[in-house]
Amino acid sequence: MNAPTNAAPRTYEIRTYGCQMNVHDSERLSGLLEEAGYVRAGDAEPDVVVFNTCAVRENADNRLYGNLGHLRPVKDAHPGMQIAVGGCLAQKDRDAIVKRAPWVDVVFGTHNIGSLPALLERARVQREAQVEIEESLVTFPSTLPTRRESPYAAWVSISVGCNNTCTFCIVPSLRGKERDRRPGEILAEIEALVAEGVLEVTLLGQNVNAYGSGFGALAAAPDEVRAMTAGGQSAFAGLLRACGAVEGLERVRFTSPHPKDFTDDVIAAMAETPNVMPSLHMPLQAGSDAVLRAMRRSYRQERYLGIIEKVRAAIPDAAITTDIIVGFPGETEADFEETLHVVREARFASAFTFQYSKRPGTPAATMDGQIPKEVVQERYERLVALQEQISWEENRKQLGRTVEVLVSEGEGRKDEETRRLSGRAPDNRLVHFTAPDEPVRPGDMVTVEVTYAAPHHLVADKPVLGIRRTRAGDAWEARQGGTGGQKGVSLGMPSIGRPADADTPAHGCSAAPRTGA
């Protein structure tokens, strides 16, 4: 369904909240709209505003309706403007969105994002709101057109949905049961991305290392899955090793794994596959066995710390990050001390920390022992202070190290003031480095020596030791000749430690109250 042809192309803007799944879904929404004839909005008000929502935080509803309220007078002053709401909150609230905000034109769910262009056109022609929510996946999202935000790094979904039943998490009811893509489809997408210049991919799944379970019994799985698991290794370990064979693919990451599915063969695949990066995001959620049991997390403190120990033994330089929830119903001071104990033992490079957020429809919302806000706040501040100290200590261990940094776009907030550029080291630490005299593009690689460490970033203020121009840099440069510099998708990516404001999203669905790494 194309946008009207009797006028200038209609423009769009996408506002994204939540996890990496939502960020990647927004790339697909951009691709769908552009294929239908829309173009990204410049400085003027867009003709279409799409909210890709998250439902894991308690104030998600208020945030959405507040934003919709701010847009109402803008829409009144802009004839023909349309507003669409999709994502997890749309899947949950459905018709209620149009009842509370009748100026919304389209509501669509997590299972039918491919319907957006048609729904917009139908709403325009019929002059009434269109609400379409599917109960199960219509089309695997990876088959949809995608307008990727980065020419050098890409998300690649390997599965959608989740089979876990964590008591704090609403996502399985909104995303559905796990469905896995065939390995050949995943690898074909990765090879196509590499051919376009991409150097780094992040494998995405709500429970990424459960990959393979969506095929059911191994005997009934596709031949390529059975071949990948030959010798008894898990499908996810086999997929990591297969990524290692993709020529030109320099960096592989994945998010977010679940400790219950984190097997020794995955650790071996990480350690033995050169392009799998030495970084791991492993959600903890709580350090107390009693709280983990109440959360219905099928691992305990000993199991979790055992995984961390094995990863560090196999990959000594690995940077490990996590998600932690403070104030889960029934959490005692002794339970919280167990969380602090795990933080001290695991020595995370960073942590995404959250105060428990009650979500209607989850078992935890009706549990006894809801913790008073002031108690949760005090525990949260102690946790953040401890993790900040550990993050700083761990980052100071990087001083004097030489690292190769994948130059990124827009990571450093003060880069223009400090005349620095920014990028990610192999372990995913953020590095700000002095801009060299020779032009360096996002997607290029630079080798630098770390000279300063802060809790959440590293600095390399000595002259750059080496520059490697890459196909990814070429791809970034080529994009600047088109519309690549325009921002059409506002990425709601998380910050580390204390959230900057109420809009800071969870780090995927693994961080509850989760988007992935």
Side-chain angles (χ1 to χ4, degrees), residues 342-469:
V342 175
V343 170
R344 294 186 187 102
E345 290 293 310
R347 299 195 64 79
F348 300 113
S350 62
F352 298 88
T353 53
F354 305 93
Q355 298 184 34
Y356 169 71
S357 182
K358 184 189 293 187
R359 297 306 292 144
T362 62
T366 57
M367 285 182 176
D368 294 333
Q370 302 286 328
I371 311 297
K373 170 65 176 176
E374 62 272 17
V375 174
V376 178
Q377 182 68 33
E378 188 272 337
R379 290 177 183 171
Y380 175 75
E381 290 177 358
R382 285 158 55 196
L383 172 62
V384 169
L386 174 61
Q387 182 55 55
E388 293 268 315
Q389 173 190 337
I390 292 172
S391 294
W392 203 352
E393 291 170 355
E394 291 301 305
N395 276 358
R396 283 199 289 263
K397 294 178 182 178
Q398 308 301 311
L399 292 175
R401 290 191 176 181
T402 298
V403 295
E404 187 172 50
V405 174
L406 173 57
V407 181
S408 57
E409 185 174 28
E411 291 251 35
R413 295 180 181 177
K414 298 182 179 179
D415 282 350
E416 290 186 7
E417 298 175 22
T418 59
R419 294 187 55 78
R420 290 181 180 136
L421 300 175
S422 299
R424 295 281 171 173
D427 63 9
N428 212 32
R429 284 183 166 93
L430 177 62
V431 181
H432 304 300
F433 60 94
T434 300
D437 294 333
E438 179 182 341
V440 175
R441 309 160 302 177
D444 287 339
M445 295 281 195
V446 298
T447 302
V448 299
E449 179 184 333
V450 178
T451 58
Y452 173 79
H456 306 310
H457 68 267
L458 304 174
V459 175
D461 270 341
K462 291 183 178 180
V464 167
L465 300 175
I467 297 173
R468 179 159 62 89
R469 293 175 69 83

Side-chain angles (χ1 to χ4, degrees), residues 104-185:
V104 169
D105 299 277
V106 170
V107 178
F108 61 102
T110 59
H111 299 307
N112 64 318
I113 64 175
S115 302
L116 176 60
L119 292 172
L120 287 168
E121 182 68 1
R122 194 186 307 162
R124 187 186 68 82
V125 171
Q126 298 181 6
R127 298 188 178 183
E128 64 179 14
Q130 302 294 312
V131 179
E132 185 175 289
I133 306 291
E134 297 288 346
E135 298 301 329
S136 59
L137 199 63
V138 175
T139 302
F140 203 98
S142 293
T143 64
L144 299 173
T146 303
R147 204 291 183 187
R148 296 184 183 271
E149 287 303 302
S150 168
Y152 50 86
W155 311 104
V156 175
S157 289
I158 68 171
S159 64
V160 294
C162 181
N163 294 335
N164 293 319
T165 57
C166 301
T167 55
F168 54 74
C169 189
I170 197 171
V171 169
S173 66
L174 304 179
R175 291 278 183 177
K177 292 291 186 181
E178 179 174 332
R179 287 183 58 180
D180 295 340
R181 294 176 71 190
R182 293 174 68 120
E185 293 176 3

Side-chain angles (χ1 to χ4, degrees), residues 20 23-24 27-28 146-158 189-194 196-204 249 251-255 406 472 479:
Q20 297 95 329
V23 173
H24 192 23
E27 292 184 324
R28 296 186 181 108
T146 303
R147 204 291 183 187
R148 296 184 183 271
E149 287 303 302
S150 168
Y152 50 86
W155 311 104
V156 175
S157 289
I158 68 171
E189 180 179 357
I190 293 173
E191 289 167 354
L193 288 167
V194 170
E196 294 170 3
V198 167
L199 295 183
E200 175 179 298
V201 299
T202 300
L203 306 179
L204 280 184
L249 179 61
R251 294 185 170 189
V252 178
R253 306 186 190 278
F254 57 88
T255 195
L406 173 57
R479 180 180 284 195

Side-chain angles (χ1 to χ4, degrees), residues 210-247:
Y211 177 74
S213 63
F215 297 114
L218 186 59
D223 291 344
E224 57 190 310
V225 176
R226 293 202 298 274
M228 185 172 279
T229 55
Q233 74 174 347
S234 66
F236 186 64
L239 182 60
L240 288 179
R241 293 183 184 277
C243 287
V246 177
E247 186 175 352

Side-chain angles (χ1 to χ4, degrees), residues 497-517:
R498 187 187 306 275
D501 53 47
D503 276 355
T504 301
H507 188 271
C509 72
S510 58
R514 258 192 276 214
T515 341

